[in-house]
């Protein structure tokens, strides 16, 4: 949906996907945190996809705290409406 908004000239919206190039299954948590931190620093918005256990993730909580500290606009999208927000 976001990519379609980006392509639609009727919306004042642009989207750049700065996805992390390190596997989330990686055992190098400091490398993952560093890459994600850089992405948050260089963004205007913070998008959090909320899954079943997202609210239990200390990593996600830290990313949200960082985004809030940097005054980024926060957007949360629940994959299912009954999932608990972080």
């Amino acid at each position: 949906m976001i990519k379609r908004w980006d392509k639609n000239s009727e919306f004042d919206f642009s989207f750049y996907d700065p996805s992390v190039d390190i596997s989330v299954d990686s055992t190098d948590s400091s490398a993952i945190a560093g890459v994600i931190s850089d992405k948050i620093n260089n963004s205007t918005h913070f998008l959090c996809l909320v899954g079943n256990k997202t609210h239990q993730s200390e990593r996600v909580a830290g990313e949200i705290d960082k985004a809030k500290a940097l005054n980024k606009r926060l957007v949360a999208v629940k994959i299912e409406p009954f999932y608990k927000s972080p």
Side-chain angles (χ1 to χ4, degrees):
M1 174 81 90
I2 291 172
K3 290 180 181 180
R4 283 187 267 157
W5 288 347
D6 185 39
K7 291 180 182 180
N8 187 334
S9 61
E10 293 181 27
F11 289 104
D12 182 18
F13 183 86
S14 64
F15 175 69
Y16 168 69
D17 181 5
S19 297
V20 177
D21 296 331
I22 298 174
S23 171
V24 293
D25 296 331
S26 173
T27 57
D28 191 351
S29 62
S30 62
I32 294 170
V35 170
I36 292 172
S37 180
D38 288 344
K39 301 295 184 183
I40 295 170
N41 287 335
N42 294 312
S43 69
T44 57
H45 291 68
F46 180 88
L47 172 64
C48 181
L49 297 178
V50 180
N52 188 34
K53 297 182 181 180
T54 305
H55 68 283
Q56 298 171 338
S57 172
E58 290 181 27
R59 181 181 293 169
V60 172
E63 293 168 5
I64 291 169
D65 288 345
K66 179 175 180 63
K68 287 170 52 178
L70 294 171
N71 295 317
K72 304 298 180 176
R73 300 188 94 182
L74 304 176
V75 179
V77 178
K78 291 183 178 183
I79 297 170
E80 295 291 343
F82 50 86
Y83 289 160
K84 187 174 179 182
S85 298

